[in-house]
Amino acid sequence: YVEEAVPELLAPLAAMLGNRAGTGLWDFSSQLGAPTRLADLGMRATDIDRMVELAMANPYWCPRPLEAAPLKALLQRALSGQRPE
């Protein structure tokens, strides 16, 4: 039941974020003045390889397969605060 209700329950949030979670959350955080760079939260470039290693060792469910190279690129963009694509 919960899985069936989730899309309906999240519809208002999806609409608020423009149906694009990554860019919507980044834009929302930016408007609030919240950190948009992982570096602002203490992450260093030297931490990226370890983070990728941990993620690959503990995969979570995702409709898209988890791959190291795209994950590393995502973390590098997030480290510097680039808006998600």
Side-chain angles (χ1 to χ4, degrees), residues 3 10-11 15 29 37 54 56 58 62 64-65 72 80-81 84:
E3 288 179 14
L10 293 177
S29 297
R37 301 177 332 132
L54 289 170
M56 297 303 294
N58 299 294
C62 184
R64 183 176 173 182
K72 185 173 182 175
S80 64

Side-chain angles (χ1 to χ4, degrees), residues 2-73:
V2 172
E3 288 179 14
E4 294 172 5
V6 168
E8 181 181 319
L9 295 172
L10 293 177
L13 179 61
M16 182 184 88
L17 297 176
N19 293 312
R20 299 283 304 185
T23 54
L25 286 172
W26 192 94
D27 291 343
F28 182 65
S29 297
S30 181
Q31 289 171 2
L32 292 176
T36 55
R37 301 177 332 132
L38 289 177
D40 294 336
L41 303 175
M43 185 177 161
R44 301 173 309 238
T46 56
D47 297 329
I48 290 176
D49 287 334
R50 179 68 177 139
M51 291 182 73
V52 170
E53 180 182 309
L54 289 170
M56 297 303 294
N58 299 294
Y60 52 88
W61 181 88
C62 184
R64 183 176 173 182
L66 187 61
E67 299 176 33
L71 178 57
K72 185 173 182 175

